[in-house]
Amino acid sequence: MARRAPRTSRTASAEPPTPRRRGARAARRAGDLPTDEVPTTTGSARLEPDPDHAGAVTLYVNGVPSSHVDLDDPGFLAFEYMQQMAAVIDRLPPGPLRVLHLGAAGCSLARWVEHTRPGSTQVGVDLDARLLELVRTWFDLPRSPRLRLRADDARHALSTFADASFDVVVRDVFAGDSTPEHLVTSGAALDVRRVLRPGGTYLVNCADRPPLTAARRELAGLAAVVGGTGTTGGTGPGAGRGAVGTPGPPPLRAALAEPAQLKGRRYGNVVLVAVRPGPGGPDLASPGLARAARTLPVPAHVVVGPELDAFVGAAAPFEDPPDAVGHEPATPGRTR
């Protein structure tokens, strides 16, 4: 389950927040939103007013907190894992981005990208068609073609996009409190690699319990995005920046989370990162990223290089069943 950071802070961003003079208008809009459960394609949705700010709500989908939307300030991200993802995106070169969101819900991160990277083009995919209609009505979302919303299974949607279509792919897909099995495999990571441009970045919200077996296995599978088995471009454990000896290329995989979460003390979110080799990708071992993560409202740690190799250990990737046909989920789920 996603955790909220303190309201008094906001994500690090090169852009200033939306002026607070819009607050009264946003508060009126938030006050007009429904508070009862609303039927959707996969179940139901409910909006809970933010007790700290009248212009913001938390969107619950099938009882799970799926998005926090500040109608007054699209530059504010409340969920810790989204703040960590934003810290990585901030390391990308300046300018508009092409972003694919596998899991749309309230489109909080898409609104943030639009705010911090004007001119970006984005696609949000969600299995719940009715939910997409509702959030278009409820929230101040960028219009198409800046943000296109599509009802589809996330893995099937991947198969429909052209090669090198996106600078960033974000996976935030859940059925209950876990990600559908067909989205965590190395085959799914290969699908993502194909639609990423060289240097493109894959950001994964992995919710896991001690001893973080799922996070370790997913990181092993994300070597498919990197193009090999090592953390730094497929040359093996310990290679690249951070290894003993002559520095090599920057690492291409990383994990970000609160230190207690990385130590496996509780259930929570771990952000996994993989970069397709090529120019323009983020330096996951940069002091700037480490500092940005460390100075978040809830400080996070960036695990890269040999530390990441030790974290993954001998974990085996999740694999698609050998007789799998297509990319449909084995059980009903939803993208959020």
Side-chain angles (χ1 to χ4, degrees):
M1 180 179 296
R3 296 202 317 166
R4 283 187 53 188
R7 174 75 213 186
T8 54
S9 319
R10 58 185 68 248
T11 56
S13 169
E15 298 291 327
T18 303
R20 302 303 290 186
R21 59 184 171 81
R22 296 177 54 202
R25 180 169 62 88
R28 284 196 298 272
R29 286 186 301 170
D32 292 337
L33 294 176
T35 55
D36 296 332
E37 287 200 358
V38 178
T40 68
T41 306
T42 67
S44 65
R46 177 175 63 86
L47 298 177
E48 180 178 282
D50 186 335
D52 299 321
H53 178 50
V57 293
T58 298
L59 169 65
Y60 286 76
V61 179
N62 300 327
V64 178
S66 298
S67 297
H68 178 278
V69 178
D70 187 335
L71 295 170
D72 187 41
D73 184 3
F76 177 76
L77 295 173
F79 289 168
E80 294 173 17
Y81 78 88
M82 285 193 181
Q83 295 178 357
Q84 294 159 15
M85 289 181 173
V88 176
I89 295 173
D90 274 340
R91 308 273 79 75
L92 295 172
L97 296 172
R98 298 168 296 166
V99 185
L100 172 62
H101 301 266
L102 300 176
C107 298
S108 302
L109 194 60
R111 294 176 78 242
W112 178 86
V113 170
E114 169 77 6
H115 178 69
T116 60
R117 304 276 185 143
S120 295
T121 56
Q122 304 182 78
V123 180
V125 176
D126 200 289
L127 194 63
D128 196 314
R130 178 56 179 157
L131 180 66
L132 294 179
E133 295 174 357
L134 290 171
V135 298
R136 273 286 191 207
T137 302
W138 290 340
F139 305 140
D140 185 19
L141 300 184
R143 306 303 301 180
S144 182
R146 290 182 299 155
L147 174 61
R148 292 182 288 127
L149 298 182
R150 173 174 166 183
D152 200 351
D153 170 72
R155 183 123 181 227
H156 177 265
L158 276 172
S159 69
T160 68
F161 294 110
D163 295 357
S165 298
F166 297 100
D167 303 301
V168 179
V169 175
V170 178
R171 194 201 79 200
D172 191 9
V173 184
F174 286 87
D177 65 353
S178 61
T179 300
E181 294 178 356
H182 68 303
L183 295 175
V184 301
T185 65
S186 57
L190 280 172
D191 291 343
V192 171
R193 174 186 169 89
R194 182 186 64 79
V195 303
L196 280 174
R197 65 158 176 81
T201 302
Y202 186 30
L203 296 167
V204 169
N205 178 19
C206 175
D208 202 6
R209 295 175 172 81
L212 302 183
T213 301
R216 299 173 202 273
R217 294 189 67 182
E218 279 218 62
L219 280 164
L222 290 183
V225 176
V226 170
T229 57
T231 59
T232 59
T235 56
R241 189 170 304 181
V244 176
T246 303
L252 299 178
R253 285 187 295 173
L256 291 82
E258 182 188 0
Q261 173 67 14
L262 290 170
K263 293 176 182 177
R265 293 178 180 170
R266 58 174 176 81
Y267 170 83
N269 304 83
V270 181
V271 170
L272 313 180
V273 189
V275 179
R276 180 176 177 178
D283 182 355
L284 301 179
S286 70
L289 177 58
R291 181 170 55 253
R294 189 171 57 248
T295 56
L296 289 172
V298 177
H301 178 59
V302 182
V303 183
V304 289
E307 186 182 5
L308 186 72
D309 290 326
F311 179 78
V312 175
F318 295 107
E319 302 289 356
D320 289 323
D323 58 347
V325 178
H327 300 314
E328 295 301 317
T331 56
R334 66 168 303 279
T335 57
R336 79 176 192 190

